[in-house]
Amino acid sequence: MGKLSIFIYISIFSLLLILFFHTPSRRITPRHRRLRLRSNFTFNQPLHRQQQDHYAPFDPLIANIQLRREDEEWQNHSLGPSQSDAADSHPEWEEFINDEDRFNVTERLSSLFPNIDVNPTDGFISVEELTRWNWQQAMNAALHRTEREFETHDEDRDGFVSFAEYEPPSWVMAAGSNSSSGYDIGWWNEEHFNASDADGNGALDMSEFNDFLHPADSRNPKLLLWLCRDVVRERDNSKDGKLSFSEFSPAIFDLVRRVDEDYGSLSWDDDQMEARAKKMFLELDKDEDGYLSATELLPVIGKIHPSEAYYAKQQAEYIISQMVSEPAHQAVCQQGH
């Protein structure tokens, strides 16, 4: 039973991780909205370990182990390949959760449940409660990585990172060397840095630096507008600083309808798709000039660049819909019945 419990536990938080990468293209509305603690649910599909490495685990305890490993690898990144291989060959979290003397799966799941079941505390986990939990785990992991990188770049240890202190990543430098625009690509440019500087003091504190690294999760209006400008810059083939309908559709329209239930039908033919795209375009074109400015993209920027909150909700809806749809699952509260 110990190995089976471990498998179920790993499967639960692994599926939650994978959903960050393989989010369903359409919004899911599960028949039942809450889950009890105890369940006979098991997963039938194989889980791919390589997809777990990029996202925060469901369990904060496992997240802490993983982040500690990342910290060690971060500190030793300049070591040779043999050192990296040695670290990869000893996955600490796998050893920990497979040691029944150190990690009791049943007790762990029981201890986590009341931390999720908080609004209201009624013995069930709702989509909203699981969404909040998933989002918090993702944000905690993101902030930890931000703090680690902040410490690296804050060379004068004044609690701020200036534009000069933040050396662009190697992939940006490589791309810049092959581009006439130099480092002015993607998210790495001075305009992005300045937009992240909410108080305008010329440097980024920890919170602003976190926004700089994760602009889609920011509430900074300047940074959200920068994201819109970046979308225009990327898709503006005519270089006139705005988007025509042909530049908006299908590329940007497809991004929006991927997360918008009103535009998410997969059964439309090409004519229906174009009609829907034109409808959205006209709704966004507030000044009716036949083009979309960066400001006019603000209402949909959260769909072009979904935040962690969106993925957290997708995770929650999907995991609950999968669990309650299992015939063997006998511990479901059918809300409204």
mmCIF file of all heavy atoms in Angstrom, residues 245-279:
data_model
loop_
_atom_site.group_PDB
_atom_site.id
_atom_site.type_symbol
_atom_site.label_atom_id
_atom_site.label_comp_id
_atom_site.label_asym_id
_atom_site.label_seq_id
_atom_site.Cartn_x
_atom_site.Cartn_y
_atom_site.Cartn_z
ATOM 1 N N PHE A 245 -6.465 44.788 -39.269
ATOM 2 C CA PHE A 245 -7.179 43.534 -39.027
ATOM 3 C C PHE A 245 -6.339 42.335 -39.468
ATOM 4 O O PHE A 245 -6.323 41.299 -38.799
ATOM 5 C CB PHE A 245 -8.526 43.532 -39.765
ATOM 6 C CG PHE A 245 -9.274 42.238 -39.607
ATOM 7 C CD1 PHE A 245 -9.886 41.919 -38.393
ATOM 8 C CD2 PHE A 245 -9.335 41.316 -40.648
ATOM 9 C CE1 PHE A 245 -10.558 40.704 -38.222
ATOM 10 C CE2 PHE A 245 -10.009 40.109 -40.495
ATOM 11 C CZ PHE A 245 -10.622 39.803 -39.277
ATOM 12 N N SER A 246 -5.642 42.454 -40.584
ATOM 13 C CA SER A 246 -4.830 41.336 -41.072
ATOM 14 C C SER A 246 -3.670 41.032 -40.136
ATOM 15 O O SER A 246 -3.195 39.897 -40.070
ATOM 16 C CB SER A 246 -4.306 41.626 -42.484
ATOM 17 O OG SER A 246 -3.459 42.761 -42.480
ATOM 18 N N GLU A 247 -3.211 42.055 -39.404
ATOM 19 C CA GLU A 247 -2.143 41.835 -38.429
ATOM 20 C C GLU A 247 -2.706 41.285 -37.110
ATOM 21 O O GLU A 247 -1.990 40.628 -36.349
ATOM 22 C CB GLU A 247 -1.391 43.135 -38.177
ATOM 23 C CG GLU A 247 -0.588 43.606 -39.385
ATOM 24 C CD GLU A 247 -0.110 45.043 -39.258
ATOM 25 O OE1 GLU A 247 -0.746 45.817 -38.516
ATOM 26 O OE2 GLU A 247 0.896 45.401 -39.906
ATOM 27 N N PHE A 248 -3.976 41.556 -36.859
ATOM 28 C CA PHE A 248 -4.639 41.066 -35.652
ATOM 29 C C PHE A 248 -5.092 39.618 -35.799
ATOM 30 O O PHE A 248 -4.984 38.811 -34.860
ATOM 31 C CB PHE A 248 -5.840 41.964 -35.355
ATOM 32 C CG PHE A 248 -6.730 41.465 -34.253
ATOM 33 C CD1 PHE A 248 -6.394 41.648 -32.919
ATOM 34 C CD2 PHE A 248 -7.922 40.812 -34.562
ATOM 35 C CE1 PHE A 248 -7.221 41.186 -31.905
ATOM 36 C CE2 PHE A 248 -8.763 40.355 -33.554
ATOM 37 C CZ PHE A 248 -8.402 40.542 -32.220
ATOM 38 N N SER A 249 -5.602 39.275 -36.957
ATOM 39 C CA SER A 249 -6.138 37.935 -37.198
ATOM 40 C C SER A 249 -5.366 37.257 -38.326
ATOM 41 O O SER A 249 -5.063 37.885 -39.347
ATOM 42 C CB SER A 249 -7.628 38.034 -37.575
ATOM 43 O OG SER A 249 -8.175 36.770 -37.808
ATOM 44 N N PRO A 250 -5.060 35.958 -38.130
ATOM 45 C CA PRO A 250 -5.532 35.084 -37.053
ATOM 46 C C PRO A 250 -4.631 35.021 -35.816
ATOM 47 O O PRO A 250 -5.027 34.466 -34.803
ATOM 48 C CB PRO A 250 -5.573 33.720 -37.723
ATOM 49 C CG PRO A 250 -4.418 33.764 -38.677
ATOM 50 C CD PRO A 250 -4.369 35.189 -39.189
ATOM 51 N N ALA A 251 -3.427 35.569 -35.879
ATOM 52 C CA ALA A 251 -2.432 35.301 -34.837
ATOM 53 C C ALA A 251 -2.915 35.727 -33.441
ATOM 54 O O ALA A 251 -2.966 34.908 -32.509
ATOM 55 C CB ALA A 251 -1.117 35.995 -35.180
ATOM 56 N N ILE A 252 -3.262 37.009 -33.279
ATOM 57 C CA ILE A 252 -3.648 37.499 -31.954
ATOM 58 C C ILE A 252 -5.038 37.009 -31.584
ATOM 59 O O ILE A 252 -5.298 36.643 -30.422
ATOM 60 C CB ILE A 252 -3.572 39.031 -31.903
ATOM 61 C CG1 ILE A 252 -2.126 39.479 -32.123
ATOM 62 C CG2 ILE A 252 -4.109 39.560 -30.578
ATOM 63 C CD1 ILE A 252 -1.946 40.972 -32.180
ATOM 64 N N PHE A 253 -5.938 36.966 -32.544
ATOM 65 C CA PHE A 253 -7.281 36.456 -32.272
ATOM 66 C C PHE A 253 -7.235 35.032 -31.744
ATOM 67 O O PHE A 253 -7.957 34.674 -30.813
ATOM 68 C CB PHE A 253 -8.127 36.520 -33.550
ATOM 69 C CG PHE A 253 -9.485 35.890 -33.392
ATOM 70 C CD1 PHE A 253 -10.450 36.486 -32.598
ATOM 71 C CD2 PHE A 253 -9.789 34.695 -34.026
ATOM 72 C CE1 PHE A 253 -11.707 35.909 -32.441
ATOM 73 C CE2 PHE A 253 -11.027 34.103 -33.880
ATOM 74 C CZ PHE A 253 -12.000 34.714 -33.077
ATOM 75 N N ASP A 254 -6.370 34.207 -32.302
ATOM 76 C CA ASP A 254 -6.254 32.822 -31.844
ATOM 77 C C ASP A 254 -5.774 32.758 -30.400
ATOM 78 O O ASP A 254 -6.197 31.885 -29.637
ATOM 79 C CB ASP A 254 -5.302 32.036 -32.745
ATOM 80 C CG ASP A 254 -5.963 31.622 -34.053
ATOM 81 O OD1 ASP A 254 -7.202 31.711 -34.140
ATOM 82 O OD2 ASP A 254 -5.237 31.218 -34.986
ATOM 83 N N LEU A 255 -4.868 33.668 -30.016
ATOM 84 C CA LEU A 255 -4.394 33.689 -28.632
ATOM 85 C C LEU A 255 -5.535 34.037 -27.680
ATOM 86 O O LEU A 255 -5.671 33.441 -26.602
ATOM 87 C CB LEU A 255 -3.264 34.700 -28.484
ATOM 88 C CG LEU A 255 -1.944 34.368 -29.184
ATOM 89 C CD1 LEU A 255 -0.967 35.537 -29.032
ATOM 90 C CD2 LEU A 255 -1.328 33.095 -28.621
ATOM 91 N N VAL A 256 -6.354 35.015 -28.069
ATOM 92 C CA VAL A 256 -7.446 35.454 -27.206
ATOM 93 C C VAL A 256 -8.523 34.382 -27.100
ATOM 94 O O VAL A 256 -8.984 34.048 -26.006
ATOM 95 C CB VAL A 256 -8.051 36.772 -27.729
ATOM 96 C CG1 VAL A 256 -9.270 37.166 -26.891
ATOM 97 C CG2 VAL A 256 -7.010 37.881 -27.705
ATOM 98 N N ARG A 257 -8.937 33.829 -28.229
ATOM 99 C CA ARG A 257 -10.036 32.862 -28.185
ATOM 100 C C ARG A 257 -9.628 31.560 -27.506
ATOM 101 O O ARG A 257 -10.479 30.802 -27.050
ATOM 102 C CB ARG A 257 -10.558 32.577 -29.595
ATOM 103 C CG ARG A 257 -9.710 31.631 -30.433
ATOM 104 C CD ARG A 257 -10.302 31.453 -31.818
ATOM 105 N NE ARG A 257 -9.621 30.412 -32.570
ATOM 106 C CZ ARG A 257 -9.965 29.136 -32.555
ATOM 107 N NH1 ARG A 257 -10.993 28.736 -31.823
ATOM 108 N NH2 ARG A 257 -9.304 28.236 -33.262
ATOM 109 N N ARG A 258 -8.338 31.329 -27.385
ATOM 110 C CA ARG A 258 -7.858 30.141 -26.681
ATOM 111 C C ARG A 258 -8.278 30.155 -25.217
ATOM 112 O O ARG A 258 -8.473 29.099 -24.610
ATOM 113 C CB ARG A 258 -6.333 30.077 -26.783
ATOM 114 C CG ARG A 258 -5.696 28.879 -26.129
ATOM 115 C CD ARG A 258 -4.184 28.987 -26.214
ATOM 116 N NE ARG A 258 -3.698 30.196 -25.559
ATOM 117 C CZ ARG A 258 -2.427 30.587 -25.546
ATOM 118 N NH1 ARG A 258 -1.528 29.882 -26.194
ATOM 119 N NH2 ARG A 258 -2.062 31.686 -24.914
ATOM 120 N N VAL A 259 -8.446 31.340 -24.646
ATOM 121 C CA VAL A 259 -8.798 31.437 -23.226
ATOM 122 C C VAL A 259 -10.135 32.127 -23.004
ATOM 123 O O VAL A 259 -10.547 32.302 -21.860
ATOM 124 C CB VAL A 259 -7.700 32.188 -22.442
ATOM 125 C CG1 VAL A 259 -6.383 31.486 -22.578
ATOM 126 C CG2 VAL A 259 -7.581 33.637 -22.904
ATOM 127 N N ASP A 260 -10.832 32.531 -24.074
ATOM 128 C CA ASP A 260 -12.099 33.236 -23.950
ATOM 129 C C ASP A 260 -13.228 32.295 -24.333
ATOM 130 O O ASP A 260 -13.348 31.898 -25.486
ATOM 131 C CB ASP A 260 -12.096 34.469 -24.859
ATOM 132 C CG ASP A 260 -13.259 35.405 -24.580
ATOM 133 O OD1 ASP A 260 -14.360 34.904 -24.270
ATOM 134 O OD2 ASP A 260 -13.075 36.629 -24.676
ATOM 135 N N GLU A 261 -14.089 31.959 -23.373
ATOM 136 C CA GLU A 261 -15.154 31.000 -23.638
ATOM 137 C C GLU A 261 -16.148 31.503 -24.677
ATOM 138 O O GLU A 261 -16.807 30.716 -25.360
ATOM 139 C CB GLU A 261 -15.888 30.663 -22.349
ATOM 140 C CG GLU A 261 -16.517 31.845 -21.656
ATOM 141 C CD GLU A 261 -17.126 31.478 -20.319
ATOM 142 O OE1 GLU A 261 -17.070 30.293 -19.944
ATOM 143 O OE2 GLU A 261 -17.661 32.374 -19.655
ATOM 144 N N ASP A 262 -16.291 32.828 -24.828
ATOM 145 C CA ASP A 262 -17.216 33.363 -25.825
ATOM 146 C C ASP A 262 -16.686 33.205 -27.250
ATOM 147 O O ASP A 262 -17.450 33.317 -28.209
ATOM 148 C CB ASP A 262 -17.480 34.846 -25.549
ATOM 149 C CG ASP A 262 -18.226 35.065 -24.246
ATOM 150 O OD1 ASP A 262 -18.996 34.158 -23.856
ATOM 151 O OD2 ASP A 262 -18.033 36.118 -23.620
ATOM 152 N N TYR A 263 -15.384 32.985 -27.373
ATOM 153 C CA TYR A 263 -14.785 32.853 -28.705
ATOM 154 C C TYR A 263 -14.053 31.513 -28.850
ATOM 155 O O TYR A 263 -13.234 31.349 -29.750
ATOM 156 C CB TYR A 263 -13.792 33.994 -28.961
ATOM 157 C CG TYR A 263 -14.443 35.338 -29.111
ATOM 158 C CD1 TYR A 263 -14.643 36.156 -28.013
ATOM 159 C CD2 TYR A 263 -14.864 35.785 -30.360
ATOM 160 C CE1 TYR A 263 -15.246 37.409 -28.145
ATOM 161 C CE2 TYR A 263 -15.463 37.033 -30.506
ATOM 162 C CZ TYR A 263 -15.655 37.830 -29.398
ATOM 163 O OH TYR A 263 -16.242 39.056 -29.539
ATOM 164 N N GLY A 264 -14.358 30.562 -27.987
ATOM 165 C CA GLY A 264 -13.543 29.356 -27.932
ATOM 166 C C GLY A 264 -14.055 28.167 -28.704
ATOM 167 O O GLY A 264 -13.522 27.073 -28.573
ATOM 168 N N SER A 265 -15.099 28.316 -29.503
ATOM 169 C CA SER A 265 -15.644 27.165 -30.209
ATOM 170 C C SER A 265 -14.637 26.610 -31.203
ATOM 171 O O SER A 265 -13.989 27.340 -31.948
ATOM 172 C CB SER A 265 -16.925 27.554 -30.949
ATOM 173 O OG SER A 265 -17.397 26.460 -31.719
ATOM 174 N N LEU A 266 -14.512 25.294 -31.209
ATOM 175 C CA LEU A 266 -13.597 24.628 -32.145
ATOM 176 C C LEU A 266 -14.321 24.141 -33.387
ATOM 177 O O LEU A 266 -13.709 23.550 -34.268
ATOM 178 C CB LEU A 266 -12.923 23.446 -31.440
ATOM 179 C CG LEU A 266 -12.124 23.779 -30.180
ATOM 180 C CD1 LEU A 266 -11.545 22.516 -29.571
ATOM 181 C CD2 LEU A 266 -11.017 24.772 -30.493
ATOM 182 N N SER A 267 -15.643 24.376 -33.440
ATOM 183 C CA SER A 267 -16.430 23.834 -34.547
ATOM 184 C C SER A 267 -16.695 24.848 -35.650
ATOM 185 O O SER A 267 -17.358 24.539 -36.632
ATOM 186 C CB SER A 267 -17.776 23.309 -34.015
ATOM 187 O OG SER A 267 -18.528 24.356 -33.418
ATOM 188 N N TRP A 268 -16.200 26.079 -35.506
ATOM 189 C CA TRP A 268 -16.443 27.087 -36.515
ATOM 190 C C TRP A 268 -15.659 26.793 -37.790
ATOM 191 O O TRP A 268 -14.522 26.302 -37.743
ATOM 192 C CB TRP A 268 -16.027 28.469 -36.006
ATOM 193 C CG TRP A 268 -16.822 28.957 -34.844
ATOM 194 C CD1 TRP A 268 -18.105 28.628 -34.530
ATOM 195 C CD2 TRP A 268 -16.382 29.881 -33.840
ATOM 196 N NE1 TRP A 268 -18.496 29.281 -33.397
ATOM 197 C CE2 TRP A 268 -17.467 30.059 -32.948
ATOM 198 C CE3 TRP A 268 -15.203 30.569 -33.609
ATOM 199 C CZ2 TRP A 268 -17.393 30.897 -31.847
ATOM 200 C CZ3 TRP A 268 -15.122 31.415 -32.529
ATOM 201 C CH2 TRP A 268 -16.203 31.580 -31.650
ATOM 202 N N ASP A 269 -16.264 27.126 -38.930
ATOM 203 C CA ASP A 269 -15.526 27.043 -40.185
ATOM 204 C C ASP A 269 -14.765 28.354 -40.384
ATOM 205 O O ASP A 269 -14.831 29.268 -39.556
ATOM 206 C CB ASP A 269 -16.462 26.747 -41.359
ATOM 207 C CG ASP A 269 -17.558 27.797 -41.523
ATOM 208 O OD1 ASP A 269 -17.341 28.973 -41.166
ATOM 209 O OD2 ASP A 269 -18.652 27.443 -42.013
ATOM 210 N N ASP A 270 -14.039 28.464 -41.482
ATOM 211 C CA ASP A 270 -13.188 29.632 -41.701
ATOM 212 C C ASP A 270 -13.985 30.929 -41.752
ATOM 213 O O ASP A 270 -13.548 31.968 -41.220
ATOM 214 C CB ASP A 270 -12.394 29.460 -42.997
ATOM 215 C CG ASP A 270 -11.341 28.370 -42.884
ATOM 216 O OD1 ASP A 270 -11.024 27.985 -41.743
ATOM 217 O OD2 ASP A 270 -10.852 27.909 -43.926
ATOM 218 N N ASP A 271 -15.166 30.902 -42.398
ATOM 219 C CA ASP A 271 -15.973 32.112 -42.502
ATOM 220 C C ASP A 271 -16.481 32.549 -41.132
ATOM 221 O O ASP A 271 -16.482 33.750 -40.810
ATOM 222 C CB ASP A 271 -17.157 31.877 -43.451
ATOM 223 C CG ASP A 271 -16.723 31.734 -44.894
ATOM 224 O OD1 ASP A 271 -15.603 32.184 -45.218
ATOM 225 O OD2 ASP A 271 -17.495 31.165 -45.693
ATOM 226 N N GLN A 272 -16.910 31.582 -40.313
ATOM 227 C CA GLN A 272 -17.369 31.910 -38.966
ATOM 228 C C GLN A 272 -16.228 32.460 -38.112
ATOM 229 O O GLN A 272 -16.413 33.394 -37.332
ATOM 230 C CB GLN A 272 -17.975 30.676 -38.306
ATOM 231 C CG GLN A 272 -19.292 30.227 -38.903
ATOM 232 C CD GLN A 272 -19.766 28.905 -38.317
ATOM 233 O OE1 GLN A 272 -18.986 27.947 -38.205
ATOM 234 N NE2 GLN A 272 -21.029 28.843 -37.926
ATOM 235 N N MET A 273 -15.056 31.878 -38.291
ATOM 236 C CA MET A 273 -13.898 32.326 -37.530
ATOM 237 C C MET A 273 -13.539 33.764 -37.885
ATOM 238 O O MET A 273 -13.281 34.597 -36.999
ATOM 239 C CB MET A 273 -12.707 31.414 -37.802
ATOM 240 C CG MET A 273 -11.570 31.599 -36.835
ATOM 241 S SD MET A 273 -11.942 30.873 -35.219
ATOM 242 C CE MET A 273 -11.890 29.131 -35.621
ATOM 243 N N GLU A 274 -13.573 34.081 -39.172
ATOM 244 C CA GLU A 274 -13.248 35.445 -39.592
ATOM 245 C C GLU A 274 -14.298 36.433 -39.094
ATOM 246 O O GLU A 274 -13.962 37.549 -38.673
ATOM 247 C CB GLU A 274 -13.145 35.525 -41.117
ATOM 248 C CG GLU A 274 -12.717 36.900 -41.605
ATOM 249 C CD GLU A 274 -12.466 36.951 -43.099
ATOM 250 O OE1 GLU A 274 -12.672 35.921 -43.765
ATOM 251 O OE2 GLU A 274 -12.070 38.023 -43.589
ATOM 252 N N ALA A 275 -15.563 36.027 -39.114
ATOM 253 C CA ALA A 275 -16.625 36.906 -38.627
ATOM 254 C C ALA A 275 -16.453 37.195 -37.136
ATOM 255 O O ALA A 275 -16.646 38.335 -36.680
ATOM 256 C CB ALA A 275 -17.990 36.270 -38.896
ATOM 257 N N ARG A 276 -16.091 36.174 -36.370
ATOM 258 C CA ARG A 276 -15.858 36.365 -34.942
ATOM 259 C C ARG A 276 -14.653 37.270 -34.691
ATOM 260 O O ARG A 276 -14.653 38.107 -33.786
ATOM 261 C CB ARG A 276 -15.646 35.003 -34.274
ATOM 262 C CG ARG A 276 -16.900 34.160 -34.192
ATOM 263 C CD ARG A 276 -17.801 34.646 -33.088
ATOM 264 N NE ARG A 276 -18.995 33.844 -32.962
ATOM 265 C CZ ARG A 276 -19.782 33.836 -31.896
ATOM 266 N NH1 ARG A 276 -19.494 34.611 -30.873
ATOM 267 N NH2 ARG A 276 -20.865 33.090 -31.855
ATOM 268 N N ALA A 277 -13.624 37.063 -35.493
ATOM 269 C CA ALA A 277 -12.423 37.894 -35.348
ATOM 270 C C ALA A 277 -12.747 39.354 -35.648
ATOM 271 O O ALA A 277 -12.297 40.270 -34.942
ATOM 272 C CB ALA A 277 -11.321 37.393 -36.266
ATOM 273 N N LYS A 278 -13.547 39.607 -36.684
ATOM 274 C CA LYS A 278 -13.924 40.978 -37.026
ATOM 275 C C LYS A 278 -14.770 41.592 -35.916
ATOM 276 O O LYS A 278 -14.622 42.778 -35.593
ATOM 277 C CB LYS A 278 -14.688 41.000 -38.352
ATOM 278 C CG LYS A 278 -13.798 40.768 -39.565
ATOM 279 C CD LYS A 278 -14.589 40.847 -40.862
ATOM 280 C CE LYS A 278 -13.666 40.673 -42.068
ATOM 281 N NZ LYS A 278 -14.435 40.711 -43.352
ATOM 282 N N LYS A 279 -15.650 40.791 -35.328
ATOM 283 C CA LYS A 279 -16.485 41.278 -34.228
ATOM 284 C C LYS A 279 -15.609 41.726 -33.059
ATOM 285 O O LYS A 279 -15.813 42.803 -32.494
ATOM 286 C CB LYS A 279 -17.449 40.184 -33.782
ATOM 287 C CG LYS A 279 -18.379 40.570 -32.638
ATOM 288 C CD LYS A 279 -19.350 39.436 -32.344
ATOM 289 C CE LYS A 279 -20.353 39.836 -31.256
ATOM 290 N NZ LYS A 279 -19.713 39.995 -29.947
#
